Amino acid sequence: MKLLLVGFGVVGQGFAQILRDKSAELQRKFNFSAEIIGVATANKGALYRADGLNIPALLEAADRGSFADYPDEPGLKRAKTAGEMIAAGEADVLVEVSPTDLETAQPALDYCLQALDAGMHLALANKGPVALAYASLKSKARAKGLQWRYEATVMAGTPTMRLAEEALAGCKIRSARGILNGTTNYILTRMENGMSYEAALAQAQQLGYAEADPSGDVEGWDAAGKVLILANAILGVPLAMADLDVSGITAISEADIAEAKAAGERYKLIASATPDGGAVKATRLPLADPLASVGGSTNAITFETDLLGDITLIGAGAGKLETGCAILADLLAINRVTGQA
Ligand code: HSE
């Protein structure tokens, strides 16, 4: 399977690391092998080689912050744009792991549409296109007979989309509610243990949980993007940002957290989606509420279903390998469906 990566930050590098470390196991278990033939980034440069890039060298160059020192190899091209890489038509899958833009979804959305037109499947960690252009991507992928997958967009590699879309396929999912942002849950947990907001945010950034612009996390927009993905993809309701009531954790002070703690409660940033709308709101929960015990960067979601009652999933919500593994799961699913590789 030949892959083009747009973006090579925390998630792209996590995914490349997994490919590097698991290639023999993936080949043996699934007859799956993948090559990264192109990587286009906004700040490290670009690399393209139709016969495949050297993944360890790619990771080492990314560690140094630039592809400039990536070793020359026959056929290597350093100046292609993402659009040119897609237009070359040599890749099977576009892996969109560039930073999320929840106002325009661009430039990722145009790359995704171009890739579908060029006959490529999609695997996205970028939430923008799925949250803002679900219907158009779905109809184009369907018209072209191509797969588009986005497990990484909600709760990292914790199989949220797969649980809802595949395991619960026979159920009607009436609503979804949970903790869907790792950064804010990490900050709230650390603040409850006495750390300042600023120090906790800095740690969340260092650990690779936060978005490139962390205001999207702390003001609730990242969780709101996930609410839109759940509403569109799982509830079948075409909600848009304007339908949501969104606030974050920036107004919660250390004193508020101490006061909640003294009262046997805990603040959590709760995200919810129903057919009528959605919300993201810092909420004081009693400690007996199962969501109150979900700490650190861990996320949780409860699906309310018609046949099974409530189903709750708890697991990683952010992180390098945690999100990279969702991209791998999507590629293995594409591989199963298409019988490729
Ligand atoms: N910034 C996001 C979070 C990454 O903290 O949850 C995972 O979507």
Side-chain angles (χ1 to χ4, degrees):
M1 188 181 272
K2 293 194 171 200
L3 310 176
L4 278 185
L5 269 62
V6 178
F8 204 62
V10 172
V11 178
Q13 291 175 49
F15 166 64
Q17 208 173 309
I18 295 170
L19 267 192
R20 179 196 66 192
D21 297 343
K22 286 193 174 249
S23 65
E25 181 186 337
L26 294 169
Q27 178 72 56
R28 191 177 65 247
K29 281 168 73 177
F30 306 113
N31 193 27
F32 174 85
S33 71
E35 281 181 317
I36 298 175
I37 67 164
V39 183
T41 75
N43 54 18
K44 296 182 187 73
L47 294 168
Y48 187 88
R49 185 169 178 266
D51 288 333
L53 295 164
N54 176 326
I55 295 180
L58 191 59
L59 286 164
E60 282 161 27
D63 265 349
R64 292 189 295 269
S66 164
F67 295 153
D69 291 343
Y70 180 89
D72 275 325
E73 313 172 80
L76 182 71
K77 300 194 173 71
R78 295 180 183 270
K80 274 191 191 290
T81 62
E84 288 166 350
M85 291 185 195
I86 297 167
E90 288 166 306
D92 301 304
V93 183
L94 178 72
V95 178
E96 228 308 338
V97 285
S98 68
T100 292
D101 181 324
L102 284 170
E103 280 167 22
T104 67
Q106 297 293 9
L109 176 56
D110 283 346
Y111 295 145
C112 289
L113 294 169
Q114 186 193 349
L116 290 172
D117 277 330
M120 295 168 64
H121 306 285
L122 303 179
L124 294 97
N126 188 324
K127 288 154 262 197
V130 194
L132 305 187
Y134 180 83
S136 55
L137 285 167
K138 181 177 177 175
S139 70
K140 192 180 268 288
R142 181 170 288 179
K144 295 273 177 186
L146 294 163
Q147 293 280 304
W148 77 298
R149 293 192 165 259
Y150 39 85
E151 184 63 70
T153 60
V154 182
M155 288 178 66
T158 306
T160 314
M161 306 313 296
R162 202 156 273 115
L163 171 66
E165 294 177 332
E166 296 175 22
L168 299 177
C171 292
K172 180 171 179 56
I173 298 180
R174 297 197 171 110
S175 68
R177 175 178 180 271
I179 296 169
L180 299 182
N181 181 266
T183 300
T184 48
N185 207 46
Y186 183 85
I187 293 171
L188 291 172
T189 306
R190 287 289 172 274
M191 284 176 76
E192 202 182 311
N193 294 325
M195 190 179 276
S196 71
Y197 170 86
E198 290 76 15
L201 173 57
Q203 273 195 357
Q205 288 178 286
Q206 207 175 10
L207 290 163
Y209 302 149
E211 296 299 297
D213 174 359
S215 62
D217 294 291
V218 296
E219 290 169 6
W221 298 110
D222 175 79
K226 292 162 179 166
V227 167
L228 293 185
I229 294 170
L230 294 168
N232 282 271
I234 292 175
L235 304 187
V237 185
L239 295 185
M241 251 342 157
D243 301 313
L244 308 186
D245 185 6
V246 180
S247 57
I249 64 162
T250 50
I252 311 289
S253 66
E254 287 163 37
D256 292 330
I257 287 178
E259 189 188 303
K261 192 174 176 179
E265 294 185 343
R266 195 167 266 162
Y267 273 101
K268 292 291 174 191
L269 187 65
I270 301 297
S272 56
T274 73
D276 303 321
V280 177
K281 191 172 167 40
T283 309
R284 261 171 78 159
L285 301 178
L287 293 183
D289 186 313
L291 290 182
S293 61
V294 175
S297 64
T298 303
N299 282 188
I301 193 163
T302 298
F303 292 118
E304 182 197 353
T305 76
D306 58 348
L307 302 179
L308 282 167
D310 286 357
I311 300 287
T312 297
L313 180 67
I314 300 176
K320 189 175 186 181
L321 297 177
E322 293 87 340
T323 312
C325 95
I327 299 289
L328 174 61
D330 282 348
L331 298 181
L332 291 173
I334 291 171
N335 191 52
R336 277 196 301 277
V337 171
T338 61
Q340 217 166 12

